[in-house]
Amino acid sequence: MEGGPSDRAWPLLLLLVAAVLVPTAGLLWFMGAAMRNERLAVKQKLEQAYRPALTEAAHAVRSYWAERRSVLERAVDQPPARAFATVVRSGAARAAVVLGESGQVLYPAAEPDLAAATLHPALAEAARLEFALDQPRIAAIAYRQVAERAGSPDIRAQALMGQARCLLKVADTAEAIRLLVVELQQPDLRRATGTNGRLIAPAALLRALQVMEPGYPSYRQTLDEMVLQLRDYDNWPMSSAERRFLMRRVLEIAPQVTTFDTLEAEELASEFVARHLAAPEGAGLAPSAMPGTWQFTIANSPVVALLERAQTLRELEAAVAQALPHQLHIAFVRPGVVVGEEPFLLTTLDESMPGWRLAAYLRGEDPLASRAEHQVATYLWTGLLLVGLVAGTVLLVGRAAFHQMKLARLKNDFIATVTHELKTPLCSMRVLVDTLLEGNYRDQRQVREYLELMARENERLSRLIDNFLSFSRMERNKQAFSFRPVEPRELVEAAADIVRERFEAVGCAFTAEANGELPAVEADRDALVTVLLNLLDNAYKYSTDDKRIALRAFADDGEICFQVQDNGIGMRRRAVRRAFDRFYQVDQSLSRSVGGCGLGLSIVKFIVEAHGGSVDVESRPGEGSTFTVRLPAAQGNGARRGRG
Ligand code: ADP
């Protein structure tokens, strides 16, 4: 009964596969959803925990700008140069630019146009003597006279400068220095300017310093006075260009003893003005026209604070870092920039940094990821376990279902076989009886022949029914055996007597031999005869022409063996392994034609094993088969009783 699963098995197979796949898919979906939820829940918890820290950080940013704002507020009402110095010296900005009402630059303002400058007529004669006629000595006297007569501080100061210049040319250094550091430094000349619009007093000090040797008695004092003037944004209203020029010269003369805290800012601011300056639109932080620089303004203030971008960011980060727990690090996100790596938290900053955002990231290992990983592992194992359970259950159910289907099929086949098996001898008997009843026979010999045929069919029918009954009892486990010591020889002879006539009738070479000395076996005599008859019957059925069948009993290794050997069609190895299975038939059509229902060998096995023995077969296709039944010899003379 070989063959693949029938068509009916496919829907069942699909159903079983679906029974595994559907819950597996559901489980995977559920695991995915659960993991997403878990991640969300952890994220929410962490957000709740860290949100106040971020608010605190935003607050630190606000304080940073509030400081700068208050500095700019302080500068609102100050004169431009002072406003510049206030902002720069507070450290609130790298530099500052002060604007007028209409947005024009007040500080650092552009220098006046020098080409338009003309010499005052009172000085013209002295200047002619000095430059055109090259008479410094006379020019010095002429300058002195102008100085003494002049009413305007500008002309007086210009004349004194001219005198000092001429004295230097004639090498009257001491008098020249006195003019420069004493007379020209009188308070009433403090705001005096030259034809180029520049303050004369500081220029006079520079000239004196250039002339003096460092060892000169008033050198140090002069240097100090010079530095004082250049650092003073209140009383010495120099233009930025002039102040920068003088500062640089002083630094050249006395690099070790002097520094100017506003020089860098002055340079940055004038570079900024020279490049470009658009009046800022609205207050707050904005990119400036100068690379690497930001500008910061507040409402109603003429001051634009210039900030170095990198430094400002560093300062902001440092301010924010103090407010943050070490697990978080932050980044400032410019207006309009798309945040690359998704931040853990994001917050907007107020009007001090319009459009800016503060992004917070978790430092080190992502706790969300590690938590999620842990969850994945848990869900995965649970999932695998459940899928395994489902698969196991489905497998068991499937096996049971397939088994049932197979049994149902076997039962159907069995019924078909039984019907056929019963019908065949009945039909033959009926034909024979009808022939006899109708008197269709030649003589008494033929009558006898018919009757013998009927007897044989009858016998076959009886054996068949016996087998069915044995099987049925075996199925219900009701096979009852009555054990007693039996001579092997007696069993061999009983079986041989039953088959001999049938075998020899068709010219089959049948031999039966049993050693009379063999020890008895403890057995149910009829059951063992059935065993031998079944084996002999098969040997007969599955041998073709020139049948040679041998039945023998012998002792081997303390056991009693019964052997049935034939020269029939034999069996393949696979068939040998299954020959003792219920309903198994190697070739169904052959079995049908020779008569059989696949029960004979399973009954043999059942009976032999009930006797504590075993049965095996050696067989090769085309060469015949040898079935050997091994039974334990009965112990002593006594017999085992009452088993089964
Ligand atoms: P069946 O009633 O069909 O003979 P059995 O259980 O007696 O059933 O045997 C099972 C199958 O084993 C048979 O269908 C046959 O194919 C094979 N078989 C049994 N005995 C022999 C034998 N002596 N030679 C070859 N094949 C055999």
Side-chain angles (χ1 to χ4, degrees):
M1 299 210 179
E2 291 171 281
S6 75
D7 290 346
R8 268 182 306 153
W10 284 112
L12 183 68
L13 207 67
L14 286 177
L15 210 70
L16 294 176
V17 170
V20 176
L21 287 184
V22 171
T24 306
L27 207 72
L28 288 175
W29 175 85
F30 169 77
M31 275 163 58
M35 263 157 10
R36 272 195 299 280
N37 284 347
E38 178 70 22
R39 221 183 136 81
L40 217 65
V42 175
K43 192 169 182 222
Q44 271 171 2
K45 261 189 225 153
L46 287 172
E47 271 180 12
Q48 266 171 18
Y50 288 127
R51 179 66 70 185
L54 199 66
T55 311
E56 192 76 357
H59 187 70
V61 173
R62 207 172 306 132
S63 317
Y64 178 87
W65 293 112
E67 266 176 46
R68 269 133 201 90
R69 201 171 292 125
S70 78
V71 171
L72 292 189
E73 275 163 6
R74 239 188 298 144
V76 167
D77 296 324
Q78 295 174 347
R82 179 148 178 226
F84 170 85
T86 305
V87 174
V88 170
R89 293 213 166 111
S90 69
R94 289 295 299 277
V97 172
V98 184
L99 302 177
E101 297 254 303
S102 53
Q104 80 280 19
V105 180
L106 295 183
Y107 196 93
E111 288 228 75
D113 187 1
L114 299 183
T118 48
L119 198 63
H120 193 273
L123 291 162
E125 181 52 25
R128 201 175 67 86
L129 286 168
E130 182 188 355
F131 297 112
L133 303 177
D134 199 16
Q135 296 285 336
R137 216 173 277 280
I138 306 170
I141 298 163
Y143 276 128
R144 184 76 213 175
Q145 284 169 354
V146 175
E148 280 170 4
R149 267 181 271 142
S152 137
D154 283 353
I155 295 173
R156 191 142 58 90
Q158 284 173 19
L160 287 175
M161 267 309 262
Q163 189 192 353
R165 207 165 46 235
C166 292
L167 289 176
L168 285 175
K169 282 181 188 166
V170 298
D172 189 353
T173 314
E175 181 55 13
I177 288 174
R178 196 193 60 78
L179 282 177
L180 291 169
V181 303
V182 180
E183 283 200 39
L184 273 164
Q185 302 306 317
Q186 296 307 307
D188 58 329
L189 295 184
R190 190 169 279 186
R191 289 175 188 274
T193 55
T195 50
N196 55 11
R198 290 183 175 166
L199 284 191
I200 291 174
L205 285 183
L206 177 69
R207 190 75 194 101
L209 283 173
Q210 284 170 338
V211 174
M212 289 175 187
E213 292 295 311
Y216 199 86
S218 61
Y219 176 83
R220 185 72 219 192
Q221 199 189 339
T222 308
L223 183 62
D224 288 349
E225 176 59 26
M226 170 97 248
V227 170
L228 208 74
Q229 286 182 12
L230 290 176
R231 284 182 183 164
D232 188 342
Y233 281 78
D234 291 330
N235 302 307
W236 298 93
M238 280 170 262
S239 75
S240 171
E242 188 181 350
R243 205 181 284 270
R244 271 182 283 130
F245 170 79
L246 293 172
M247 282 175 172
R248 271 193 238 110
R249 292 288 89 75
V250 172
L251 285 176
E252 278 168 18
I253 295 167
Q256 289 89 5
V257 284
T258 320
T259 56
F260 293 105
D261 58 347
T262 55
L263 177 57
E264 225 178 286
E266 290 275 6
E267 277 170 349
L268 188 68
S270 52
E271 193 192 336
F272 179 76
V273 171
R275 272 171 184 262
H276 169 75
L277 180 78
E281 295 166 12
L285 190 68
S288 91
M290 213 150 71
T293 313
W294 281 332
Q295 54 189 46
F296 179 67
T297 45
I298 59 170
N300 306 322
S301 166
V303 185
V304 178
L306 298 180
L307 308 166
E308 203 186 29
R309 197 171 60 202
Q311 183 198 354
T312 310
L313 270 179
R314 266 200 310 278
E315 287 172 3
L316 278 168
E317 277 164 8
V320 160
Q322 288 174 352
L324 286 178
H326 78 280
Q327 292 93 333
L328 288 186
H329 73 95
I330 50 100
F332 286 89
V333 186
R334 270 151 227 269
V337 170
V338 181
V339 189
E341 187 193 341
E342 196 199 334
F344 170 59
L345 286 171
L346 197 65
T347 188
T348 51
L349 293 166
D350 58 7
E351 72 288 349
S352 51
M353 292 180 85
W356 283 75
R357 283 159 300 163
L358 196 58
Y361 298 90
L362 286 167
R363 234 183 252 284
E365 193 195 348
D366 179 1
L368 297 179
S370 60
R371 182 77 178 257
E373 258 168 37
H374 183 247
Q375 280 300 325
V376 171
T378 313
Y379 284 131
L380 205 70
W381 284 115
T382 317
L384 282 177
L385 200 76
L386 286 175
V387 169
L389 277 176
V390 170
T393 313
V394 165
L395 209 73
L396 286 178
V397 170
R399 262 181 65 149
F402 276 116
H403 188 68
Q404 284 304 321
M405 279 174 67
K406 202 170 145 190
L407 269 187
R409 206 166 53 227
L410 287 175
K411 223 178 253 173
N412 287 344
D413 290 350
F414 179 65
I415 288 169
T417 311
V418 166
T419 315
H420 176 264
E421 288 306 301
L422 292 178
K423 255 174 92 183
T424 315
L426 277 176
C427 273
S428 333
M429 285 198 294
R430 179 139 183 222
V431 169
L432 290 169
V433 168
D434 283 352
T435 312
L436 288 180
L437 282 176
E438 285 163 11
N440 286 340
Y441 53 89
R442 283 190 308 274
D443 49 20
Q444 278 307 313
R445 251 191 71 212
Q446 197 170 32
V447 171
R448 187 176 168 76
E449 203 178 299
Y450 284 179
L451 285 174
E452 278 170 358
L453 270 174
M454 279 162 64
R456 233 173 286 151
E457 287 301 310
N458 190 291
E459 192 185 311
R460 183 175 154 193
L461 206 55
S462 306
R463 210 165 45 248
L464 209 62
I465 287 168
D466 272 353
N467 267 348
F468 292 152
L469 290 178
S470 300
F471 173 71
S472 162
R473 271 200 301 273
M474 203 169 88
E475 275 291 279
R476 286 175 283 133
N477 224 355
K478 284 206 177 145
Q479 179 80 5
F481 297 104
S482 88
F483 290 94
R484 64 182 181 78
V486 187
E487 297 280 328
R489 185 194 174 114
E490 182 190 341
L491 292 171
V492 168
E493 279 172 1
D497 283 349
I498 295 173
V499 298
R500 182 169 287 117
E501 198 181 340
R502 178 158 59 111
F503 285 10
E504 286 171 357
V506 290
C508 162
F510 175 63
T511 55
E513 54 187 82
N515 188 336
E517 306 297 307
L518 288 176
V521 288
E522 181 121 351
D524 182 312
R525 181 185 178 279
D526 293 342
L528 278 193
V529 170
T530 304
V531 165
L532 298 182
L533 284 179
N534 274 341
L535 293 177
L536 288 168
D537 211 27
N538 280 350
Y540 180 84
K541 283 193 300 190
Y542 302 111
S543 306
T544 42
D545 304 333
D546 190 22
K547 300 178 202 278
R548 269 174 284 132
I549 299 170
L551 167 65
R552 56 182 84 91
F554 54 91
D556 179 41
D557 203 13
E559 288 177 322
I560 307 302
C561 302
F562 296 90
Q563 206 168 55
V564 176
Q565 190 175 23
D566 66 55
N567 62 338
I569 58 172
M571 284 180 279
R572 290 179 190 283
R573 195 191 292 249
R574 185 165 183 273
V576 166
R577 275 204 302 275
R578 301 190 56 196
F580 293 95
D581 291 352
R582 273 173 214 169
F583 304 120
Y584 177 77
Q585 295 178 314
V586 176
D587 181 344
Q588 261 179 302
S589 55
L590 172 68
S591 295
R592 255 201 204 159
S593 67
V594 295
C597 54
L599 286 177
L601 286 182
S602 66
I603 291 170
V604 166
K605 186 164 184 256
F606 176 78
I607 294 174
V608 170
E609 284 177 357
H611 282 73
S614 63
V615 55
D616 58 48
V617 57
E618 264 180 45
S619 184
R620 274 166 199 264
E623 290 183 17
S625 315
T626 305
F627 285 81
T628 309
V629 171
R630 292 168 179 277
L631 293 178
Q635 288 166 359
N637 356 326
R640 291 188 297 153
R641 292 191 196 284
R643 237 192 81 181

